[in-house]
Amino acid sequence: MKAKTESVLRSKRDFKNILVTSLALFAMFFGAGNLIFPTMIGVNSGTSFYAAIFGFLCTGVALPALAMVASATSREGITSSSKRMGTQFGFIYTLIVFLSTGVLYAIPRVATVSYEMSVKQFFPHSYDRVSLALYTVVFFALVALTCLNAQKLTERIGAILTPALLILITILVIVGIFTLSPVSHAPAKDFSSNPLATGVLQGYFTMDAIAAFVFGGVIISSLQNYGFGEGKRLFGATVLTGFFAALILAVVYLGLAALGARVTDASVANGAVALSGMSHTLFGRAGMAVFGGIVFLACLTTAAGLVSASSQYFCRLFPTVSLPTMVMIHVFIAAALSNLGLDLILQVVAPINVFVYPITIIFTLVCILDIVIPGHMKWTYRAGAWTAALFAIVDSVRSVPGHETFADSIWTHLPLGDAGLGWIVPAVIMTAIGLGIDVASGRIRKGASTMLQTGTVH
C-alpha cells in the first residue's frame, strides 16, 4: 500500500491537489439532508445510538467511498462503466440517475430546502413567494458562476467554500458537545426494533452512493487537470480522494449525531428544527446566522457539483450544445421548478430513488470484485443488477403512499423484507450465479487482475 501511495503522491503539490479535490468532493456530497439525517439519528436512537450510527456510516460513508473506487474503474465514469450491466440497461440506469440527482429533483430541491432552512425566517410570511423567487435568482446565479469554468470548479469549492463550511460546522459541534450533556431516553419505534437496519436505510436517504457515480466524472477530470494522467496513478488518486472525503464525512456525521443526542425534546419534527434550535440555544440570534450559513454553503456546493456533473453528461448526449449553454439550461430549469413547488416531483422521484439504490449497491460491489478478480465479468454484473432492479421495482411501488402493502404476501417472507431490504439476498444469490457462469465460460482467468496491472478494468 505504501509503494502505491508513493507512486501517486510524488510531491507535496500532489498531496495538496488531492486534498483540495477531497474537500470539494466532501462538499458536493454534503447537502441539507446530510445535516438532517445524522442529527435525527442522535435524537431518535436513544440507547440504540451506536448500532444506529454504525448502520448509517455503512451506507452514508463506506458505500459512497466504495462507489468512488468503482467510479475510478473507468476514465469516463458511470457513462462507460454502467454499460457492463448491458448497453440499454446501463443507459436507462444512467439517465435515471442523472435526472433524479439532477435538474428534475435534487438541484431544485437543495435550493428550496436551503431557502426554507436559512433565510425564510427573516421575511414576513406574506412575502414567501417573492422572497423565494429572489433567493433562487441569487442562489442559482452563484451556482452558475461556480460552474461555468469547469476546470476551476473543484478549486473554488475545495479551497474556498468547503473550509468556510467546515469552520461553521466545527464551531457548532464543538461548542454544543462541550456545553450540553447527552440525553438518555428510550429509542423511537423504528430504532427500538432494528436500529442497525434503520440506520442503514437512513444512509440511503443521503443518496451519496448514487452521487459518487455522478460526481466521479467531475473528480476524475479535475485530477487529470492536476496532472495525474491515466492508468494506475489516476486510479490511485481517485481512490485517495474518495477515502479522504469519506473520512471527513464520517467525522462530521459523528459530530452531528452527538449534537442530536443532546436535544432534550425527543419529539422534535426534524433535524433542521433540532439544529436550528440548538444554534439559537448556544449562540442566541447570532446562532441562527451560523446555522443559516452552514445550510447555505452546504446546499450551494452540492448544487454546483450536481449542475456541473449533469451538464457534462448531457453535453455528451447532445454534443452540439456547449457546456456553458448546458449549465444555463440546468440553472433556468432548476430555478423554475424551485418556484413552482416540488411536492409533486418529490412524490414521483422518491420511488425512483428506491429503485435506483439497490442497483447502485450491487453494481458498486461487483465493480470492487472486478478490481481484484482477473478477467472481464459479464453475467456477474448483469445477473446481480437485473435481479436488484426487479425487486427494486416492487419496493418502489411499496414506497408510493397508499400502496405500502403491495405484494405483502411475498415481501414479508423475504429475508430482511420487513426492514425494507428484501432485494439483498436474491440479488447476492444471482450475482454469485452470474460469477459462476463467467468462470465456466472462461471470462475469469488466472493471474493478476486487469485493474491491478493497468488501473482500469474496461
Side-chain angles (χ1 to χ4, degrees):
M1 180 64 187
K2 183 179 178 181
K4 290 181 181 178
T5 303
E6 288 176 350
S7 67
V8 174
L9 303 177
R10 297 174 180 172
S11 65
K12 291 183 179 179
R13 185 177 181 85
D14 285 343
F15 178 78
K16 177 186 174 183
N17 290 336
I18 286 181
L19 181 60
V20 169
T21 309
S22 301
L23 290 170
L25 179 59
F26 158 79
M28 291 177 191
F29 281 143
F30 196 80
N34 305 76
L35 278 166
I36 294 170
F37 296 126
T39 303
M40 285 309 292
I41 284 179
V43 173
N44 291 329
S45 61
T47 53
S48 300
F49 177 85
Y50 292 105
I53 196 63
F54 177 77
F56 181 81
L57 292 178
C58 286
T59 47
V61 175
L63 191 59
L66 291 175
M68 279 304 301
V69 176
S71 181
T73 63
S74 173
R75 286 171 294 179
E76 299 175 19
I78 190 174
T79 54
S80 175
S81 59
S82 63
K83 294 177 183 177
R84 302 170 199 168
M85 297 182 287
T87 303
Q88 292 183 337
F89 183 94
F91 172 76
I92 294 172
Y93 166 78
T94 305
L95 183 63
I96 291 174
V97 163
F98 276 97
L99 288 175
S100 65
T101 62
V103 71
L104 290 186
Y105 170 63
I107 297 171
R109 185 67 178 173
V110 293
T112 303
V113 169
S114 65
Y115 165 77
E116 294 280 345
M117 294 170 62
S118 60
V119 304
K120 182 180 179 179
Q121 59 186 311
F122 299 109
F123 292 92
H125 180 70
S126 57
Y127 289 93
D128 278 354
R129 294 186 66 84
V130 175
S131 58
L132 174 60
L134 292 173
Y135 178 83
T136 52
V137 168
V138 174
F139 182 86
F140 283 112
L142 291 173
V143 170
L145 287 173
T146 306
C147 293
L148 283 176
N149 187 344
Q151 291 187 352
K152 294 288 184 180
L153 177 68
T154 55
E155 186 175 334
R156 288 170 178 169
I157 294 178
I160 301 172
L161 297 178
T162 309
L165 171 62
L166 287 174
I167 288 171
L168 291 176
I169 292 175
T170 301
I171 292 172
L172 180 60
V173 169
I174 290 179
V175 174
I177 289 176
F178 283 97
T179 303
L180 305 172
S181 300
V183 179
S184 179
H185 58 79
K189 180 181 178 181
D190 291 341
F191 289 94
S192 62
S193 57
N194 198 336
L196 180 63
T198 302
V200 166
L201 289 174
Q202 291 293 307
Y204 265 27
F205 299 146
T206 67
M207 295 177 64
D208 283 342
I210 300 173
F213 284 105
V214 173
F215 296 141
V218 175
I219 295 302
I220 290 170
S221 296
S222 176
L223 291 170
Q224 286 178 317
N225 290 333
Y226 280 135
F228 285 97
E230 298 180 357
K232 292 174 68 175
R233 191 159 185 258
L234 178 61
F235 174 75
T238 308
V239 171
L240 282 177
T241 298
F243 172 79
F244 289 145
L247 184 61
I248 300 170
L249 270 178
V251 172
V252 171
Y253 285 157
L254 288 171
L256 291 171
L259 280 184
R262 285 161 170 76
V263 174
T264 55
D265 182 9
S267 63
V268 66
N270 56 59
V273 176
L275 284 176
S276 178
M278 183 167 288
S279 299
H280 188 270
T281 299
L282 294 172
F283 303 108
R285 189 162 180 82
M288 304 304 292
V290 172
F291 177 67
I294 291 172
V295 172
F296 179 78
L297 287 172
C299 291
L300 178 66
T301 52
T302 298
L306 291 171
V307 168
S308 180
S310 183
S311 297
Q312 290 181 34
Y313 170 72
F314 282 102
C315 276
R316 287 191 288 271
L317 290 185
F318 304 99
T320 57
V321 181
S322 67
L323 182 61
T325 301
M326 189 62 76
V327 167
M328 296 311 298
I329 290 172
H330 275 67
V331 163
F332 280 120
I333 293 175
L337 290 176
S338 298
N339 283 274
L340 289 176
L342 295 174
D343 288 343
L344 178 61
I345 296 174
L346 181 59
Q347 291 178 14
V348 173
V349 174
I352 293 176
N353 290 337
V354 173
F355 168 74
V356 168
Y357 232 103
I359 304 171
T360 303
I361 292 174
I362 289 297
F363 177 58
T364 299
L365 296 179
V366 176
C367 280
I368 301 300
L369 194 64
D370 204 357
I371 292 173
V372 297
I373 294 181
H376 293 294
M377 297 176 179
K378 177 181 178 181
W379 289 108
T380 315
Y381 282 104
R382 299 184 182 191
W386 294 357
T387 303
L390 180 64
F391 281 83
I393 290 173
V394 179
D395 247 351
S396 297
V397 176
R398 290 169 60 86
S399 70
V400 177
H403 295 79
E404 292 86 354
T405 59
F406 177 74
D408 244 6
S409 59
I410 299 174
W411 224 247
T412 54
H413 291 89
L414 288 173
L416 302 176
D418 290 337
L421 302 171
W423 59 271
I424 289 182
V425 173
V428 169
I429 290 173
M430 290 306 299
T431 300
I433 291 174
L435 179 61
I437 294 173
D438 284 335
V439 171
S441 62
R443 292 188 181 90
I444 307 300
R445 59 182 182 272
K446 294 182 179 180
S449 71
T450 307
M451 167 58 75
L452 295 180
Q453 289 178 328
T454 66
T456 183
V457 172
H458 297 294

mmCIF file of all heavy atoms in Angstrom, residues 38 40-57 183-200 202 254 257 261:
data_model
loop_
_atom_site.group_PDB
_atom_site.id
_atom_site.type_symbol
_atom_site.label_atom_id
_atom_site.label_comp_id
_atom_site.label_asym_id
_atom_site.label_seq_id
_atom_site.Cartn_x
_atom_site.Cartn_y
_atom_site.Cartn_z
ATOM 1 N N PRO A 38 -28.102 12.542 10.130
ATOM 2 C CA PRO A 38 -27.317 12.112 11.303
ATOM 3 C C PRO A 38 -27.782 12.783 12.590
ATOM 4 O O PRO A 38 -27.726 12.172 13.661
ATOM 5 C CB PRO A 38 -25.885 12.520 10.945
ATOM 6 C CG PRO A 38 -26.020 13.565 9.898
ATOM 7 C CD PRO A 38 -27.248 13.217 9.131
ATOM 8 N N MET A 40 -30.902 13.546 13.339
ATOM 9 C CA MET A 40 -32.096 12.845 13.797
ATOM 10 C C MET A 40 -31.785 11.450 14.326
ATOM 11 O O MET A 40 -32.517 10.922 15.162
ATOM 12 C CB MET A 40 -33.123 12.766 12.664
ATOM 13 C CG MET A 40 -33.825 14.088 12.403
ATOM 14 S SD MET A 40 -34.534 14.842 13.901
ATOM 15 C CE MET A 40 -35.863 13.690 14.283
ATOM 16 N N ILE A 41 -30.699 10.846 13.841
ATOM 17 C CA ILE A 41 -30.280 9.569 14.433
ATOM 18 C C ILE A 41 -29.904 9.784 15.894
ATOM 19 O O ILE A 41 -30.268 9.007 16.781
ATOM 20 C CB ILE A 41 -29.111 8.964 13.636
ATOM 21 C CG1 ILE A 41 -29.632 8.364 12.327
ATOM 22 C CG2 ILE A 41 -28.393 7.882 14.453
ATOM 23 C CD1 ILE A 41 -28.568 7.760 11.458
ATOM 24 N N GLY A 42 -29.184 10.878 16.162
ATOM 25 C CA GLY A 42 -28.848 11.203 17.543
ATOM 26 C C GLY A 42 -30.075 11.471 18.388
ATOM 27 O O GLY A 42 -30.139 11.076 19.547
ATOM 28 N N VAL A 43 -31.078 12.132 17.801
ATOM 29 C CA VAL A 43 -32.308 12.450 18.525
ATOM 30 C C VAL A 43 -33.130 11.197 18.802
ATOM 31 O O VAL A 43 -33.618 10.983 19.919
ATOM 32 C CB VAL A 43 -33.160 13.470 17.733
ATOM 33 C CG1 VAL A 43 -34.521 13.674 18.408
ATOM 34 C CG2 VAL A 43 -32.437 14.805 17.609
ATOM 35 N N ASN A 44 -33.302 10.349 17.781
ATOM 36 C CA ASN A 44 -34.270 9.251 17.853
ATOM 37 C C ASN A 44 -33.718 7.921 18.354
ATOM 38 O O ASN A 44 -34.480 7.068 18.804
ATOM 39 C CB ASN A 44 -34.901 9.018 16.474
ATOM 40 C CG ASN A 44 -35.805 10.163 16.061
ATOM 41 O OD1 ASN A 44 -36.425 10.810 16.902
ATOM 42 N ND2 ASN A 44 -35.884 10.422 14.763
ATOM 43 N N SER A 45 -32.419 7.709 18.228
ATOM 44 C CA SER A 45 -31.879 6.375 18.525
ATOM 45 C C SER A 45 -31.765 6.096 20.016
ATOM 46 O O SER A 45 -31.797 4.931 20.443
ATOM 47 C CB SER A 45 -30.517 6.188 17.860
ATOM 48 O OG SER A 45 -29.595 7.144 18.337
ATOM 49 N N GLY A 46 -31.625 7.143 20.838
ATOM 50 C CA GLY A 46 -31.565 6.953 22.283
ATOM 51 C C GLY A 46 -30.475 5.978 22.697
ATOM 52 O O GLY A 46 -29.310 6.111 22.335
ATOM 53 N N THR A 47 -30.865 4.945 23.434
ATOM 54 C CA THR A 47 -29.901 3.959 23.925
ATOM 55 C C THR A 47 -29.385 3.032 22.820
ATOM 56 O O THR A 47 -28.459 2.253 23.053
ATOM 57 C CB THR A 47 -30.539 3.105 25.037
ATOM 58 O OG1 THR A 47 -31.778 2.554 24.566
ATOM 59 C CG2 THR A 47 -30.812 3.953 26.269
ATOM 60 N N SER A 48 -29.981 3.114 21.621
ATOM 61 C CA SER A 48 -29.514 2.310 20.478
ATOM 62 C C SER A 48 -28.597 3.122 19.570
ATOM 63 O O SER A 48 -28.434 2.807 18.387
ATOM 64 C CB SER A 48 -30.715 1.794 19.679
ATOM 65 O OG SER A 48 -31.547 0.988 20.464
ATOM 66 N N PHE A 49 -28.007 4.171 20.119
ATOM 67 C CA PHE A 49 -27.223 5.122 19.324
ATOM 68 C C PHE A 49 -26.121 4.446 18.513
ATOM 69 O O PHE A 49 -25.981 4.686 17.314
ATOM 70 C CB PHE A 49 -26.610 6.182 20.256
ATOM 71 C CG PHE A 49 -25.718 7.162 19.552
ATOM 72 C CD1 PHE A 49 -26.241 8.275 18.931
ATOM 73 C CD2 PHE A 49 -24.338 6.974 19.520
ATOM 74 C CE1 PHE A 49 -25.414 9.196 18.286
ATOM 75 C CE2 PHE A 49 -23.500 7.874 18.876
ATOM 76 C CZ PHE A 49 -24.050 8.993 18.255
ATOM 77 N N TYR A 50 -25.337 3.587 19.151
ATOM 78 C CA TYR A 50 -24.144 3.055 18.484
ATOM 79 C C TYR A 50 -24.509 2.133 17.317
ATOM 80 O O TYR A 50 -23.881 2.184 16.251
ATOM 81 C CB TYR A 50 -23.249 2.332 19.495
ATOM 82 C CG TYR A 50 -22.632 3.287 20.487
ATOM 83 C CD1 TYR A 50 -23.104 3.358 21.792
ATOM 84 C CD2 TYR A 50 -21.607 4.134 20.108
ATOM 85 C CE1 TYR A 50 -22.551 4.251 22.708
ATOM 86 C CE2 TYR A 50 -21.048 5.032 21.003
ATOM 87 C CZ TYR A 50 -21.526 5.091 22.306
ATOM 88 O OH TYR A 50 -20.982 5.988 23.192
ATOM 89 N N ALA A 51 -25.516 1.292 17.487
ATOM 90 C CA ALA A 51 -25.942 0.417 16.388
ATOM 91 C C ALA A 51 -26.500 1.237 15.238
ATOM 92 O O ALA A 51 -26.221 0.972 14.061
ATOM 93 C CB ALA A 51 -26.995 -0.582 16.886
ATOM 94 N N ALA A 52 -27.293 2.275 15.559
ATOM 95 C CA ALA A 52 -27.912 3.101 14.520
ATOM 96 C C ALA A 52 -26.874 3.897 13.741
ATOM 97 O O ALA A 52 -26.911 3.940 12.504
ATOM 98 C CB ALA A 52 -28.938 4.042 15.152
ATOM 99 N N ILE A 53 -25.924 4.505 14.444
ATOM 100 C CA ILE A 53 -24.932 5.320 13.739
ATOM 101 C C ILE A 53 -23.974 4.435 12.940
ATOM 102 O O ILE A 53 -23.491 4.831 11.870
ATOM 103 C CB ILE A 53 -24.153 6.232 14.725
ATOM 104 C CG1 ILE A 53 -23.421 7.339 13.951
ATOM 105 C CG2 ILE A 53 -23.191 5.440 15.570
ATOM 106 C CD1 ILE A 53 -24.313 8.287 13.213
ATOM 107 N N PHE A 54 -23.722 3.217 13.417
ATOM 108 C CA PHE A 54 -22.889 2.295 12.643
ATOM 109 C C PHE A 54 -23.571 1.945 11.318
ATOM 110 O O PHE A 54 -22.933 1.957 10.263
ATOM 111 C CB PHE A 54 -22.607 1.026 13.441
ATOM 112 C CG PHE A 54 -21.804 -0.002 12.673
ATOM 113 C CD1 PHE A 54 -20.435 0.154 12.502
ATOM 114 C CD2 PHE A 54 -22.418 -1.112 12.107
ATOM 115 C CE1 PHE A 54 -19.693 -0.778 11.777
ATOM 116 C CE2 PHE A 54 -21.690 -2.042 11.383
ATOM 117 C CZ PHE A 54 -20.325 -1.876 11.215
ATOM 118 N N GLY A 55 -24.869 1.632 11.366
ATOM 119 C CA GLY A 55 -25.598 1.336 10.137
ATOM 120 C C GLY A 55 -25.601 2.518 9.197
ATOM 121 O O GLY A 55 -25.430 2.366 7.975
ATOM 122 N N PHE A 56 -25.766 3.726 9.755
ATOM 123 C CA PHE A 56 -25.766 4.933 8.926
ATOM 124 C C PHE A 56 -24.409 5.147 8.255
ATOM 125 O O PHE A 56 -24.333 5.504 7.070
ATOM 126 C CB PHE A 56 -26.116 6.146 9.791
ATOM 127 C CG PHE A 56 -26.171 7.442 9.036
ATOM 128 C CD1 PHE A 56 -27.287 7.786 8.303
ATOM 129 C CD2 PHE A 56 -25.095 8.320 9.055
ATOM 130 C CE1 PHE A 56 -27.340 8.980 7.599
ATOM 131 C CE2 PHE A 56 -25.134 9.512 8.363
ATOM 132 C CZ PHE A 56 -26.261 9.845 7.629
ATOM 133 N N LEU A 57 -23.336 4.926 8.989
ATOM 134 C CA LEU A 57 -21.996 5.115 8.409
ATOM 135 C C LEU A 57 -21.708 4.087 7.321
ATOM 136 O O LEU A 57 -20.942 4.366 6.394
ATOM 137 C CB LEU A 57 -20.940 5.020 9.511
ATOM 138 C CG LEU A 57 -20.936 6.154 10.554
ATOM 139 C CD1 LEU A 57 -19.876 5.896 11.615
ATOM 140 C CD2 LEU A 57 -20.704 7.505 9.890
ATOM 141 N N VAL A 183 -28.568 13.287 26.341
ATOM 142 C CA VAL A 183 -29.856 12.980 26.951
ATOM 143 C C VAL A 183 -30.124 11.492 26.781
ATOM 144 O O VAL A 183 -30.056 10.957 25.674
ATOM 145 C CB VAL A 183 -30.993 13.786 26.281
ATOM 146 C CG1 VAL A 183 -32.335 13.426 26.908
ATOM 147 C CG2 VAL A 183 -30.729 15.278 26.412
ATOM 148 N N SER A 184 -30.403 10.805 27.881
ATOM 149 C CA SER A 184 -30.683 9.370 27.827
ATOM 150 C C SER A 184 -32.192 9.149 27.777
ATOM 151 O O SER A 184 -32.927 9.588 28.667
ATOM 152 C CB SER A 184 -30.093 8.677 29.061
ATOM 153 O OG SER A 184 -30.374 7.290 29.019
ATOM 154 N N HIS A 185 -32.658 8.516 26.701
ATOM 155 C CA HIS A 185 -34.087 8.223 26.578
ATOM 156 C C HIS A 185 -34.272 6.959 25.744
ATOM 157 O O HIS A 185 -33.349 6.506 25.043
ATOM 158 C CB HIS A 185 -34.840 9.401 25.944
ATOM 159 C CG HIS A 185 -34.324 9.789 24.591
ATOM 160 N ND1 HIS A 185 -34.648 9.103 23.440
ATOM 161 C CD2 HIS A 185 -33.500 10.796 24.206
ATOM 162 C CE1 HIS A 185 -34.053 9.657 22.409
ATOM 163 N NE2 HIS A 185 -33.346 10.701 22.840
ATOM 164 N N ALA A 186 -35.454 6.389 25.822
ATOM 165 C CA ALA A 186 -35.748 5.180 25.048
ATOM 166 C C ALA A 186 -35.751 5.511 23.560
ATOM 167 O O ALA A 186 -36.164 6.601 23.155
ATOM 168 C CB ALA A 186 -37.105 4.619 25.461
ATOM 169 N N PRO A 187 -35.271 4.603 22.705
ATOM 170 C CA PRO A 187 -35.255 4.862 21.263
ATOM 171 C C PRO A 187 -36.659 4.937 20.685
ATOM 172 O O PRO A 187 -37.599 4.335 21.212
ATOM 173 C CB PRO A 187 -34.484 3.672 20.696
ATOM 174 C CG PRO A 187 -34.592 2.603 21.732
ATOM 175 C CD PRO A 187 -34.685 3.305 23.049
ATOM 176 N N ALA A 188 -36.795 5.693 19.584
ATOM 177 C CA ALA A 188 -38.059 5.766 18.870
ATOM 178 C C ALA A 188 -38.389 4.399 18.279
ATOM 179 O O ALA A 188 -37.539 3.497 18.232
ATOM 180 C CB ALA A 188 -37.983 6.822 17.776
ATOM 181 N N LYS A 189 -39.619 4.245 17.789
ATOM 182 C CA LYS A 189 -40.136 2.941 17.377
ATOM 183 C C LYS A 189 -39.202 2.203 16.421
ATOM 184 O O LYS A 189 -38.816 1.049 16.671
ATOM 185 C CB LYS A 189 -41.507 3.120 16.740
ATOM 186 C CG LYS A 189 -42.138 1.808 16.278
ATOM 187 C CD LYS A 189 -43.496 2.052 15.635
ATOM 188 C CE LYS A 189 -44.091 0.739 15.124
ATOM 189 N NZ LYS A 189 -45.403 0.958 14.464
ATOM 190 N N ASP A 190 -38.832 2.833 15.301
ATOM 191 C CA ASP A 190 -38.003 2.154 14.297
ATOM 192 C C ASP A 190 -36.644 1.761 14.857
ATOM 193 O O ASP A 190 -36.081 0.731 14.489
ATOM 194 C CB ASP A 190 -37.821 3.047 13.071
ATOM 195 C CG ASP A 190 -39.115 3.209 12.287
ATOM 196 O OD1 ASP A 190 -40.025 2.377 12.471
ATOM 197 O OD2 ASP A 190 -39.210 4.166 11.494
ATOM 198 N N PHE A 191 -36.102 2.585 15.742
ATOM 199 C CA PHE A 191 -34.777 2.323 16.295
ATOM 200 C C PHE A 191 -34.805 1.306 17.427
ATOM 201 O O PHE A 191 -33.783 0.711 17.738
ATOM 202 C CB PHE A 191 -34.152 3.631 16.779
ATOM 203 C CG PHE A 191 -33.754 4.557 15.679
ATOM 204 C CD1 PHE A 191 -34.616 5.557 15.254
ATOM 205 C CD2 PHE A 191 -32.528 4.436 15.050
ATOM 206 C CE1 PHE A 191 -34.260 6.417 14.240
ATOM 207 C CE2 PHE A 191 -32.151 5.286 14.021
ATOM 208 C CZ PHE A 191 -33.029 6.291 13.615
ATOM 209 N N SER A 192 -35.961 1.102 18.029
ATOM 210 C CA SER A 192 -36.039 0.146 19.128
ATOM 211 C C SER A 192 -36.085 -1.290 18.624
ATOM 212 O O SER A 192 -35.540 -2.195 19.249
ATOM 213 C CB SER A 192 -37.273 0.425 19.989
ATOM 214 O OG SER A 192 -38.461 0.279 19.221
ATOM 215 N N SER A 193 -36.721 -1.519 17.462
ATOM 216 C CA SER A 193 -36.862 -2.878 16.946
ATOM 217 C C SER A 193 -35.642 -3.333 16.152
ATOM 218 O O SER A 193 -35.183 -4.462 16.298
ATOM 219 C CB SER A 193 -38.120 -2.982 16.075
ATOM 220 O OG SER A 193 -38.067 -2.041 15.008
ATOM 221 N N ASN A 194 -35.114 -2.455 15.306
ATOM 222 C CA ASN A 194 -33.955 -2.842 14.484
ATOM 223 C C ASN A 194 -33.119 -1.605 14.182
ATOM 224 O O ASN A 194 -33.175 -1.057 13.078
ATOM 225 C CB ASN A 194 -34.419 -3.512 13.185
ATOM 226 C CG ASN A 194 -33.305 -4.316 12.531
ATOM 227 O OD1 ASN A 194 -32.117 -4.063 12.754
ATOM 228 N ND2 ASN A 194 -33.674 -5.291 11.724
ATOM 229 N N PRO A 195 -32.348 -1.118 15.147
ATOM 230 C CA PRO A 195 -31.604 0.138 14.968
ATOM 231 C C PRO A 195 -30.564 0.076 13.856
ATOM 232 O O PRO A 195 -30.347 1.067 13.157
ATOM 233 C CB PRO A 195 -30.939 0.358 16.330
ATOM 234 C CG PRO A 195 -30.892 -0.999 16.965
ATOM 235 C CD PRO A 195 -32.116 -1.711 16.471
ATOM 236 N N LEU A 196 -29.926 -1.086 13.666
ATOM 237 C CA LEU A 196 -28.904 -1.201 12.624
ATOM 238 C C LEU A 196 -29.530 -1.028 11.240
ATOM 239 O O LEU A 196 -29.037 -0.239 10.418
ATOM 240 C CB LEU A 196 -28.210 -2.558 12.726
ATOM 241 C CG LEU A 196 -27.107 -2.823 11.684
ATOM 242 C CD1 LEU A 196 -25.971 -1.830 11.853
ATOM 243 C CD2 LEU A 196 -26.587 -4.254 11.801
ATOM 244 N N ALA A 197 -30.622 -1.746 10.958
ATOM 245 C CA ALA A 197 -31.286 -1.645 9.661
ATOM 246 C C ALA A 197 -31.854 -0.248 9.444
ATOM 247 O O ALA A 197 -31.806 0.289 8.322
ATOM 248 C CB ALA A 197 -32.392 -2.688 9.547
ATOM 249 N N THR A 198 -32.382 0.365 10.503
ATOM 250 C CA THR A 198 -32.916 1.723 10.378
ATOM 251 C C THR A 198 -31.811 2.706 10.038
ATOM 252 O O THR A 198 -31.990 3.598 9.202
ATOM 253 C CB THR A 198 -33.619 2.143 11.686
ATOM 254 O OG1 THR A 198 -34.656 1.211 11.981
ATOM 255 C CG2 THR A 198 -34.224 3.531 11.552
ATOM 256 N N GLY A 199 -30.662 2.541 10.669
ATOM 257 C CA GLY A 199 -29.513 3.386 10.337
ATOM 258 C C GLY A 199 -29.066 3.196 8.905
ATOM 259 O O GLY A 199 -28.722 4.164 8.214
ATOM 260 N N VAL A 200 -29.072 1.950 8.433
ATOM 261 C CA VAL A 200 -28.711 1.658 7.044
ATOM 262 C C VAL A 200 -29.650 2.385 6.087
ATOM 263 O O VAL A 200 -29.217 3.009 5.110
ATOM 264 C CB VAL A 200 -28.750 0.135 6.785
ATOM 265 C CG1 VAL A 200 -28.710 -0.158 5.279
ATOM 266 C CG2 VAL A 200 -27.578 -0.548 7.475
ATOM 267 N N GLN A 202 -31.466 5.046 6.696
ATOM 268 C CA GLN A 202 -31.240 6.487 6.791
ATOM 269 C C GLN A 202 -30.048 6.901 5.927
ATOM 270 O O GLN A 202 -30.052 7.970 5.323
ATOM 271 C CB GLN A 202 -30.993 6.888 8.247
ATOM 272 C CG GLN A 202 -32.209 6.771 9.137
ATOM 273 C CD GLN A 202 -33.296 7.765 8.782
ATOM 274 O OE1 GLN A 202 -33.049 8.964 8.703
ATOM 275 N NE2 GLN A 202 -34.496 7.271 8.563
ATOM 276 N N LEU A 254 -20.534 11.972 12.812
ATOM 277 C CA LEU A 254 -20.443 11.615 14.228
ATOM 278 C C LEU A 254 -20.663 12.841 15.114
ATOM 279 O O LEU A 254 -21.324 12.766 16.153
ATOM 280 C CB LEU A 254 -19.082 10.972 14.520
ATOM 281 C CG LEU A 254 -18.883 9.558 13.965
ATOM 282 C CD1 LEU A 254 -17.428 9.129 14.124
ATOM 283 C CD2 LEU A 254 -19.803 8.564 14.666
ATOM 284 N N ALA A 257 -24.422 13.706 14.917
ATOM 285 C CA ALA A 257 -25.193 12.730 15.689
ATOM 286 C C ALA A 257 -25.023 12.965 17.182
ATOM 287 O O ALA A 257 -25.984 12.842 17.963
ATOM 288 C CB ALA A 257 -24.751 11.310 15.327
ATOM 289 N N ALA A 261 -27.933 13.823 19.972
ATOM 290 C CA ALA A 261 -28.104 13.098 21.235
ATOM 291 C C ALA A 261 -28.225 14.034 22.423
ATOM 292 O O ALA A 261 -28.551 13.593 23.534
ATOM 293 C CB ALA A 261 -26.927 12.139 21.441
#
